[in-house]
Amino acid sequence: MRYALDVQYLGKNYAGSQIQFENGEMIKEPTIQGEIERAISTLIKCGNPAENTRPIKTIFSGRTDKGVNSLGQVIHFDYDKDIVASDFIYHVNEILPDDISVDNLRIVPSSFHAQKSAKSRYYRYELINRRYKQAFDGDILRVKYVLNVERMQNALNFLLGEHDFSSFKSSGTLNPSKVCFITRAEVEKQGDKVFIHIEGNRFLYNMVRTIVGTLLEIEGHKLPVEHMKTVLEAKDRRKAGQTVSPYGLTLVKVSY
């Protein structure tokens, strides 16, 4: 049977969501996937988690980098026995570290694929817009100059629809396709916090963080909002802004 599971996590203490390999060997840095597979394997008593074997292999809806959080990551795994959802959720959460949790276990068709079946993914980037720091800011990016939300929204509007987003990708992108369809690109301000909401069918490596960096470059240098369109059409990473910190980026929802 195939099971799907929702996963929430704080990404600060992990080397991204996915288990990493080098020369065919599993890199032993902690990952979200590694912790979840270890917890499930421990619960159902298969394999040897202490030796990093993977009797239960999970497929994630998408990769998130070190420091990126999740409220709505979706994974699937195959297991040939019935699972009582309430017991499974309780015990897996007891085994997992405090900064990872799971819920909403359900049986899905064998054709379901957490990554390939996804129709859209919604990310939110949070930053602080305040001149001075506060004790509870944590690792969230703080922008000291005043941000003009209306200008930021006008710049984001150029990203809506289907485009080649080569200008906003980092070199780690393995998929040769650079075309994405963005259905939502919005900015809102709540007190001294600014939230940037972006939803699309797929995202390139570091795409959201580079879009945010370009927004901040436009605001910081008082560039015309049309600069976003110029960068997009250039299909040249050198034209875009910096890739901002991963802290503050959250995968909010995956839709199927």
Side-chain angles (χ1 to χ4, degrees):
M1 287 181 286
R2 179 156 293 181
Y3 292 90
L5 189 63
D6 295 344
V7 184
Q8 305 81 38
Y9 51 82
L10 299 175
K12 180 179 180 179
N13 295 321
Y14 301 93
S17 60
Q18 311 290 92
I19 290 174
Q20 303 296 315
F21 292 88
E22 186 173 303
N23 299 323
E25 295 292 327
M26 187 188 303
I27 298 174
K28 293 189 177 181
E29 288 185 277
T31 62
I32 306 300
Q33 184 179 24
E35 293 296 334
I36 289 174
E37 291 182 358
R38 187 175 295 112
I40 295 175
S41 299
T42 298
L43 177 62
I44 63 179
K45 295 181 173 58
C46 63
N48 188 343
E51 296 179 0
N52 289 321
T53 56
R54 300 178 65 199
I56 292 293
K57 295 185 179 182
T58 58
I59 303 296
F60 279 52
S61 67
R63 170 185 174 182
T64 59
D65 295 329
K66 177 178 173 62
V68 177
N69 308 316
S70 169
L71 289 171
Q73 178 71 268
V74 177
I75 68 172
H76 81 253
F77 64 93
D78 295 327
Y79 185 55
D80 60 2
K81 296 181 181 178
D82 290 330
I83 296 176
V84 178
S86 58
D87 291 344
F88 178 90
I89 295 297
Y90 172 78
H91 290 294
V92 169
N93 281 329
E94 289 294 297
I95 297 168
L96 284 169
D98 291 341
D99 48 8
I100 306 175
S101 63
V102 299
D103 62 16
N104 192 26
L105 178 76
R106 65 269 189 199
I107 297 174
V108 292
S110 59
S111 59
F112 175 86
H113 192 282
Q115 179 185 19
K116 296 178 181 178
S117 300
K119 301 299 184 184
S120 70
R121 297 163 177 84
Y122 160 35
Y123 283 91
R124 180 187 67 213
Y125 194 90
E126 174 185 349
L127 59 86
I128 297 167
N129 190 200
R130 189 193 326 110
R131 184 179 178 185
Y132 55 90
K133 70 176 182 180
Q134 291 183 351
F136 288 95
D137 287 346
D139 298 303
I140 302 297
L141 175 66
R142 177 166 55 93
V143 177
K144 297 180 182 180
Y145 52 85
V146 178
L147 294 172
N148 185 319
V149 173
E150 183 177 355
R151 274 174 43 87
M152 294 173 72
Q153 183 61 63
N154 289 336
L156 282 173
N157 289 340
F158 290 111
L159 303 180
L160 292 171
E162 187 174 72
H163 304 283
D164 183 323
F165 281 87
S166 294
S167 291
F168 302 98
K169 74 172 183 67
S170 292
S171 59
T173 302
L174 299 178
N175 193 321
S177 175
K178 308 302 185 293
V179 176
C180 307
F181 192 99
I182 301 302
T183 55
R184 180 186 183 189
E186 298 175 357
V187 60
E188 64 170 327
K189 190 169 186 180
Q190 298 179 9
D192 57 13
K193 290 188 176 181
V194 174
F195 299 92
I196 297 159
H197 309 276
I198 302 182
E199 184 171 359
N201 66 331
R202 60 190 295 271
F203 289 88
L204 308 180
Y205 184 47
N206 286 341
M207 177 173 154
V208 174
R209 291 163 56 194
T210 307
I211 288 172
V212 174
T214 305
L215 275 178
L216 297 181
E217 182 177 69
I218 291 171
E219 281 296 281
H221 295 282
K222 303 302 180 186
L223 301 175
V225 296
E226 291 79 10
H227 180 71
M228 183 67 82
K229 181 181 180 183
T230 300
V231 171
L232 177 66
E233 293 177 346
K235 302 175 187 176
D236 183 349
R237 175 63 185 87
R238 294 170 296 180
K239 304 296 184 182
Q242 293 184 346
T243 301
V244 296
S245 165
Y247 304 116
L249 181 60
T250 300
L251 173 59
V252 178
K253 184 179 180 180
V254 181
S255 298
Y256 293 90

